[in-house]
Amino acid sequence: LNDKIYAYNYVRAGAYMKLEEARQKTVLDDIPSKDLRDSADLTKAIADYTRAINLHPKFCYAFYNRGRALSAQMKLSHAIKDFNTTLKLDPNHAACLFNRGMCYQKKVRIDWMKSHKLCPKKETVAYIRQISSMLRYPDNLITPRLP
């Protein structure tokens, strides 16, 4: 098989992503219940998406899917960069906007957990639960006005 063809790398990376999704019995866009940082299949997928990007630097779907894999591995800053690149190449990529938002939400949750460890007061726990509930059920939030 020819590693120099970007489509080959892209398709093979997608197969690794599907293997991990099957193993986890969930779509990787969901917040993973398990730590997937050590997933060999995701690491292979990221490497293949990177090869596809190097061969075709304007292939927005390779950036998008590499961002999904990075997000699942909790490499959130790198995932957000890939989602930002995807949006530069395709500003109307709705799924990318959703996944970038999920990365920011994961970062917020990490900060909340750190704050709780530093200050484990009942008030902090109640506040975290309230905000977490609002994020879980977005109808509870005030809908922002789009420009």
Side-chain angles (χ1 to χ4, degrees), residues 7 23 34 38 46 57 61 74 76 90 100 104 128 145:
R23 189 174 301 110
K34 297 179 183 174
D38 297 328
I46 291 166
Y61 294 106
M74 297 303 288
L76 302 175
D90 181 3
R100 186 176 67 175
Y104 285 124
I128 290 172
R145 296 179 70 183

Side-chain angles (χ1 to χ4, degrees), residues 34-88:
K34 297 179 183 174
D35 189 345
L36 302 179
R37 289 173 219 212
D38 297 328
S39 166
D41 286 329
L42 289 180
T43 301
K44 291 175 188 174
I46 291 166
D48 278 345
Y49 285 131
T50 301
R51 279 189 215 103
I53 289 166
N54 290 337
L55 293 167
H56 190 338
K58 295 193 185 248
F59 189 36
C60 74
Y61 294 106
F63 282 103
Y64 168 68
N65 284 305
R66 185 174 71 176
R68 290 177 58 224
L70 289 164
S71 174
Q73 287 195 329
M74 297 303 288
K75 296 174 182 173
L76 302 175
S77 296
H78 296 294
I80 290 169
K81 286 180 186 177
D82 276 356
F83 292 140
N84 287 339
T85 302
T86 302
L87 290 168
K88 284 179 187 171

Side-chain angles (χ1 to χ4, degrees), residues 1 11 51 85 107 115 120:
L1 296 173
V11 170
R51 279 189 215 103
T85 302
K107 287 182 114 180
S115 74

Side-chain angles (χ1 to χ4, degrees), residues 112-129:
W112 286 345
M113 299 314 291
K114 285 180 185 175
S115 74
H116 177 63
K117 285 181 182 175
L118 294 171
C119 181
K121 294 182 179 178
K122 291 180 184 177
E123 299 84 21
T124 307
V125 174
Y127 180 71
I128 290 172
R129 282 190 185 135

